[in-house]
Amino acid sequence: MKAALLQMPVTADKAENLAVAEDYICRAAEAGADLAILPEMFCCPYTNASFVQNAEAAGEGVYTAMAEAARRAGLWLVAGSMPERDDTRIYNTSFVFDPTGTCVARHRKMHLFDIDVRGGQRFFESETFTAGDSVTVFDTPFGKLGLCICFDMRFPELARCMALSGAQAIVAPAAFNMTTGPAHWELLFRQRAVDNQLFTLGVAPARDVAGPYVSYGNSLVCSPWGDVMARVGSEPALLLVDVDFSYNDQIRAQLPLLSARRTDVYQLTF
């Protein structure tokens, strides 16, 4: 599977963001990508006020634009995430579209980003969002993929549930900041890859130091051995990576972590 990680810039103009996303998706298709991945909140700034202002229901503008972009490009699209309005609630939601533009999966962020780091970042998504409650995996012609959003990657139980459900890779639209990013971004993606012996793909917005929320960027792909296969910096970028899921089987045969679990003593139920 050839994956395209779309580390695009995000502005306060939703229409501009959609146009930029569509251009990146088109470029990914021209480069031969099978799967394109947008960052968390690719359509609006990462602030609670922007989430409320830009919230839309499934089937409205952002959703429709991404479905059509996937169809025109003829690829699989993990459409980052958007503020999804459902009646009186708002969710941080990622939609997945197949090459016909059909929505095949939806993940609502399960673990809301509520942090208050002394001398660093303070942010409370729960002031706006409602948490999702589903483990999300979906089938593709290349293999089964797990999907989560940003802060979800900090919870090893969720990654393990996706692996036990057959995921060959975990895809995570994300937006780590300049406090958590340098400390934990690479560490988390490498560790989840090692824990579950699968690929991890993290896609963030490009860094805008003048914006209201400064993304760390550094979109990356990690192998089931824990190597960083590819990574960009803070600038806008389109990163293409070939992912061979047979490598998962090789690593699991050499280091049988999943099969060595003591399910007679402990197990996850989900």
Side-chain angles (χ1 to χ4, degrees):
M1 181 182 75
K2 186 181 291 291
L5 284 63
L6 310 181
Q7 185 168 288
M8 59 171 279
V10 176
T11 71
D13 187 325
K14 182 189 290 186
E16 179 181 341
N17 294 331
L18 291 180
V20 170
E22 290 164 2
D23 178 64
Y24 271 72
I25 293 164
C26 181
R27 288 164 50 199
E30 291 171 351
D34 302 303
L35 170 74
I37 310 161
L38 288 165
E40 183 180 21
M41 290 298 152
F42 73 94
C43 60
C44 69
Y46 196 90
T47 68
N48 280 310
S50 291
F51 302 154
V52 174
Q53 179 182 354
N54 291 282
E56 297 180 356
E60 294 186 351
V62 174
Y63 176 104
T64 301
M66 292 301 99
E68 180 62 16
R71 188 195 65 79
R72 285 199 308 269
L75 48 60
W76 289 77
L77 174 64
V78 176
S81 79
M82 60 171 280
E84 178 208 5
R85 187 179 298 280
D86 186 351
D87 195 14
T88 60
R89 296 179 176 181
I90 302 176
Y91 297 89
N92 185 342
T93 303
S94 180
F95 293 101
V96 181
F97 301 97
D98 72 10
T100 71
T102 301
C103 182
V104 297
R106 177 189 68 184
H107 179 73
R108 288 171 166 172
K109 191 173 187 177
M110 293 177 65
H111 304 92
L112 299 182
F113 181 56
D114 286 4
I115 68 164
D116 189 357
V117 180
R118 184 176 300 173
Q121 187 76 25
R122 184 185 187 280
F123 199 94
F124 285 81
E125 276 190 331
S126 63
E127 293 176 355
T128 301
F129 289 132
T130 297
D133 58 7
S134 297
V135 177
T136 306
V137 296
F138 60 96
D139 290 309
T140 75
F142 321 105
K144 186 170 288 188
L145 304 182
L147 176 62
C148 65
I149 300 173
C150 199
F151 202 56
D152 284 337
M153 280 295 280
R154 289 188 176 272
F155 298 86
E157 298 91 343
L158 176 57
R160 178 54 54 85
C161 288
M162 289 187 276
L164 294 178
S165 297
Q168 297 289 311
I170 295 175
V171 178
F176 276 41
N177 55 63
M178 294 304 296
T179 298
T180 61
H184 299 148
W185 173 259
E186 179 181 317
L187 176 68
L188 280 170
F189 279 87
R190 292 182 68 188
Q191 190 60 60
R192 296 295 163 263
V194 169
D195 287 344
N196 299 288
Q197 299 178 307
L198 44 61
F199 291 88
T200 56
L201 299 86
V203 185
R207 190 179 306 168
D208 177 7
V209 296
Y213 180 96
V214 183
S215 168
Y216 180 56
N218 283 271
S219 298
L220 84 173
V221 178
C222 297
S223 80
W225 188 248
D227 297 319
V228 177
M229 297 172 56
R231 180 174 179 165
V232 296
S234 61
E235 69 286 348
L238 191 162
L239 178 63
L240 285 167
V241 183
D242 288 311
V243 177
D244 181 357
F245 292 139
S246 68
Y247 191 36
N248 291 357
D249 297 328
Q250 295 176 39
I251 295 302
R252 290 174 181 182
Q254 297 171 54
L255 190 64
L257 299 183
L258 295 179
S259 61
R261 292 177 303 116
R262 288 292 306 275
T263 54
D264 59 319
V265 177
Y266 56 82
Q267 58 183 307
L268 287 173
T269 58
F270 59 98

